[in-house]
Amino acid sequence: MRSTFTKLALLALLSAPSSLLFAAPPALDPAALQVDAATITYRAQLGDTLSVIADQLTGNKGNWVQLAKLNRIGNDRTIPIGTAIIIPVALLPDDPSSAQVAAMSGSIDATGADGRPVALGIGTTLTEGAIINTGSNSFLTLSLPDQSHIAIPSNSQVKLSKLRSARYTKSPRTEITLLKGRVESKVSPLEKNKGRFEVHSPLAVAGVRGTDFRVDLVGDRVLTEVLSGGVAVAKKNKPAALTLRAGQGNITSTKGVGKAVALLPQPEFTNNLPQLQERPTVRFTVNPVSGAGGYRAQVATDASLSNVISEAESDSPEIKINGLEDGKYFVRITALDQAGLEGKPLIAAFTLKARPEPPISIEPKNKSRSENLMFSWAEVANAQAYHLQVASDAEFSHVIIDEAALSAAQFNAGKLALGTYYWRVATIAATAGGRDQGPYGDQQGFSLLPALQIPKIADTVDGDLSFRWTGEPGQKFVVEIGRDAGFSSLLLTQDTATPEINVPRPASGTYFIHIKAIDADGYVSPFSPAQKVYIGSRWVTSDGSPLLNVGGTTQAGY
């Protein structure tokens, strides 16, 4: 009686309508049901038949035939009490499953199976039938209950065609339909639990047993690339025609399933990736990969590249990405072959510290002939101060000027020894935590050359004054003679291609002269230091010629 009562109670608990696909699983007596990874085992009770067991545990009475063969039961009406009846996961009914938004950035929209919009956010649950659209430079990663992940990059459309799991064992049964763009799947191992994960597209189906793979829909072609595990590729509604292994890819077209080809190797950085990037435009340069037709870079905030926030493609081995905030990131770079298949990834960490941005340097640049060396740069709007460094070497291992808190956008360094120098400036901004110094601007190198020498004055007997100075080949000059030290009133300004001029003798008095040079490369030096010139009056003959004596020209006042 007790055994019969137990059986009847158990059957009552299991009596869910078999016509409903997603009926709530019956409550089972733990003593009668054992759940393993890919099977369940039911211990037969008094009066059990395989048809009743099949109906209650698989939702289909007709499955009793398979149960009989699998468990080698010839007469299901005489099953000994306690007999272990194994039921494979393939015969278990489906329960609804779901996917959760694990990471997202950019412009993304989704609709449910009923066509209504779904507001997306981290942790949002999506169910079977949902359609997801990603905009330009937008990314979404979904997490499934078995820890599989689906990454949907920019300009893609994906439908969650099937999100289910086998009752009791929770073995996943997932189908993703790629309607546009790309999808990358990282699937937890499915061999033990006999789960199923497939990516469908208009032309092909990629079925996996635990792998990391990508599917890209490009016009009338489907590109499949496998990074780990294996993927069975088939034309839609056809048996699998090809199994891709790790490091292989293929293209399926209207003509059929293309052969497996080796993916391009991971790129290598031209130099070691600078772990610290100091410009808003982040640059990655790799050595050219043989056979590559382009390169793709994705930037994420996590090492697993689940939270991708930006990507870019380039025809050259240099890839530039804009729009990142300062912070710590990871980059994944791949080479694309001539057919468009994406190769193995190079992944590296880097830090972006580009703010506050450095000022634009003004002078000196290239060269200077100043005896009073002035450094100047553009003002930055949010600058609290500036940090100027001047060194005698490009590596700044020998810094000779280090001004860490300049309030003005210039600095007078006075007189330095002739030679080659390098200088750079950083912006210092006020923050809630104190002072924040940004990166230095691009270093500027210059040669400090001799200043123009004070001109020699030759007073000739014909009435003209002759000025001569030392010049260099290819130089041109501008000469100014002023009536005052500030050169506000000019007696003369003259351009000359030679380091000398002849000037008609002015009236007696005090004058000032300075000269600047224009080098052959266009560099314009500052004016030389002004020289004071005194012009005295002279005695002349009736024809205007200077009156000579044995000692030279005769001047009045002597």
Side-chain angles (χ1 to χ4, degrees):
M1 287 292 294
R2 180 176 180 84
S3 174
T4 302
F5 177 79
T6 301
K7 172 182 176 297
L8 293 174
L10 178 59
L11 291 178
L13 291 171
L14 295 177
S15 58
S18 60
S19 60
L20 296 179
L21 178 62
F22 296 133
L28 299 175
D29 182 353
L33 188 66
Q34 178 183 339
V35 178
D36 297 312
T39 62
I40 64 172
T41 301
Y42 175 72
R43 296 285 177 177
Q45 303 295 305
L46 180 64
D48 276 339
T49 64
L50 287 182
S51 61
V52 172
I53 294 172
D55 184 36
Q56 296 298 318
L57 295 180
T58 74
N60 184 352
K61 289 183 178 181
N63 285 334
W64 76 268
V65 177
Q66 296 185 57
L67 293 182
K69 291 180 179 179
L70 178 64
N71 293 278
R72 298 179 181 180
I73 296 175
N75 186 349
D76 75 333
R77 297 189 180 277
T78 59
I79 303 174
I81 296 175
T83 298
I85 299 174
I86 297 174
I87 303 174
V89 68
L91 296 181
L92 297 177
D94 288 343
D95 286 331
S97 186
S98 62
Q100 275 197 330
V101 176
M104 61 179 294
S105 66
S107 176
I108 304 169
D109 64 74
T111 56
D114 57 2
R116 296 181 181 180
V118 177
L120 294 178
I122 302 299
T124 297
T125 297
L126 295 173
T127 55
E128 184 173 297
I131 297 177
I132 302 161
N133 290 278
T134 59
S136 176
N137 209 36
S138 302
F139 309 88
L140 179 76
T141 297
L142 298 176
S143 176
L144 302 182
D146 68 336
Q147 303 306 308
S148 295
H149 289 84
I150 303 166
I152 308 170
S154 303
N155 303 312
S156 299
Q157 184 180 56
V158 165
K159 181 178 181 179
L160 306 180
S161 301
K162 181 180 288 187
L163 288 178
R164 306 176 189 178
S165 64
R167 188 168 297 174
Y168 313 119
T169 67
K170 305 300 181 185
S171 300
R173 295 173 179 177
T174 306
E175 289 181 12
I176 307 299
T177 300
L178 178 62
L179 302 173
K180 183 181 73 171
R182 294 181 286 138
V183 63
E184 180 174 341
S185 306
K186 294 184 178 180
V187 183
S188 296
L190 301 174
E191 288 291 349
K192 291 183 178 180
N193 62 28
K194 303 301 180 183
R196 187 171 66 249
F197 187 105
E198 296 177 347
V199 175
H200 293 235
S201 63
L203 289 174
V205 176
V208 306
R209 288 290 184 185
T211 189
D212 183 352
F213 73 109
R214 303 179 296 238
V215 178
D216 192 354
L217 178 60
V218 182
D220 60 354
R221 303 184 307 154
V222 178
L223 287 65
T224 305
E225 303 128 6
V226 181
L227 299 179
S228 66
V231 172
V233 180
K235 288 210 66 174
K236 200 169 183 66
N237 301 320
K238 298 289 184 179
L242 175 69
T243 297
L244 297 175
R245 302 302 179 187
Q248 293 183 326
N250 90 304
I251 297 176
T252 301
S253 66
T254 54
K255 297 180 180 180
V257 177
K259 65 180 182 180
V261 297
L263 300 180
L264 292 179
Q266 72 175 42
E268 296 180 353
F269 290 113
T270 302
N271 298 308
N272 291 332
L273 169 71
Q275 292 185 345
L276 178 63
Q277 298 256 346
E278 296 185 319
R279 295 293 179 266
T281 298
V282 177
R283 299 169 185 262
F284 306 103
T285 304
V286 296
N287 293 323
V289 176
S290 178
Y295 301 85
R296 176 179 293 147
Q298 291 182 316
V299 174
T301 59
D302 61 312
S304 65
L305 275 292
S306 295
N307 189 26
V308 176
I309 59 173
S310 187
E311 73 175 352
E313 292 189 18
S314 174
D315 294 335
S316 75
E318 182 183 47
I319 309 174
K320 303 174 185 178
I321 294 182
N322 289 300
L324 300 178
E325 298 294 329
D326 285 357
K328 296 183 181 297
Y329 298 98
F330 295 85
V331 62
R332 174 171 55 197
I333 301 176
T334 53
L336 309 176
D337 69 15
Q338 300 295 332
L341 286 170
E342 187 174 356
K344 299 176 182 179
L346 166 65
I347 299 176
F350 71 96
T351 298
L352 176 61
K353 180 66 172 76
R355 287 93 174 176
E357 295 187 37
I360 298 172
S361 59
I362 298 177
E363 62 180 2
K365 288 185 177 180
N366 300 323
K367 65 173 68 174
S368 175
R369 295 182 181 274
S370 177
E371 289 190 336
N372 194 30
L373 192 59
M374 179 71 72
F375 295 89
S376 63
W377 50 89
E379 293 187 10
V380 178
N382 64 336
Q384 184 184 60
Y386 303 94
H387 190 169
L388 167 69
Q389 286 189 331
V390 182
S392 58
D393 64 308
E395 292 73 30
F396 283 79
S397 58
H398 296 92
V399 176
I400 60 174
I401 296 176
D402 191 6
E403 295 289 338
L406 295 173
S407 57
Q410 61 182 14
F411 176 73
N412 190 336
K415 188 172 183 178
L416 298 180
L418 301 182
T420 300
Y421 295 94
Y422 301 86
W423 67 287
R424 61 189 184 183
V425 183
T427 301
I428 299 172
T431 64
R435 291 158 60 92
D436 179 22
Q437 177 175 317
Y440 288 104
D442 295 337
Q443 67 180 31
Q444 303 294 325
F446 69 96
S447 297
L448 184 57
L449 304 176
L452 288 176
Q453 299 298 313
I454 297 175
K456 299 178 180 179
I457 303 174
D459 191 354
T460 61
V461 296
D462 62 1
D464 289 344
L465 297 178
S466 178
F467 297 88
R468 294 185 180 89
W469 57 91
T470 301
E472 297 177 0
Q475 283 184 323
K476 297 180 181 180
F477 307 91
V478 177
V479 182
E480 289 185 345
I481 299 177
R483 296 184 174 89
D484 61 276
F487 292 85
S488 60
S489 175
L490 294 179
L491 172 71
L492 172 143
T493 179
Q494 183 173 324
D495 298 340
T496 175
T498 60
E500 63 177 336
I501 61 169
N502 291 321
V503 179
R505 179 180 296 277
S508 61
T510 300
Y511 298 89
F512 299 85
I513 181 171
H514 63 186
I515 302 168
K516 68 179 177 182
I518 303 172
D519 291 355
D521 60 5
Y523 169 77
V524 180
S525 74
F527 276 105
S528 64
Q531 179 188 356
K532 183 188 292 185
V533 180
Y534 175 76
I535 305 296
S537 59
R538 301 179 303 165
W539 295 97
V540 296
T541 63
S542 59
D543 62 1
S545 300
L547 178 64
L548 300 178
N549 59 31
V550 293
T553 301
T554 301
Q555 294 185 334
Y558 288 87

